[in-house]
Amino acid sequence: MNALSSPQLQVLIDGTTAPARVLVELKDFSARGLAELRGLIASGAPVLDVEMFTNDWFDAGAARMLDLLSGWEAQGVGYVLRETFTEPDGGGGRGGASRITLDELRSIVSSGQEERARLEALDDLRYGDAP
């Protein structure tokens, strides 16, 4: 990977506040097995580790993630969001992690969607696809 790779969003779950339905939601979201998810929660490891600012992120991933996390917040499920970056040396290691809030994630998603729309409009103008 290079220095321009997208940051990752990691989600860690507080196992003491996570009802069984959270495991089912995580299983559906991540395609991981229940035993694997239980192990990740028990060890304090991220249950979700999603690359941000990709086409998949903007097409559906960000909205699904916000819906999932908003539901957990409303249900009182404890979780931690971290934004991590890939080391620019190309070794694939992770740089420091910054803890973020759900409101900060909403702001990041909104800003990214606005920037993507702006760039798409410029491309449309440049290549003659504008209405």
Side-chain angles (χ1 to χ4, degrees), residues 86-103:
T86 303
E87 290 290 339
D89 64 5
R94 292 284 171 87
S98 300
R99 191 171 175 163
I100 63 172
T101 66
L102 184 56
D103 286 338

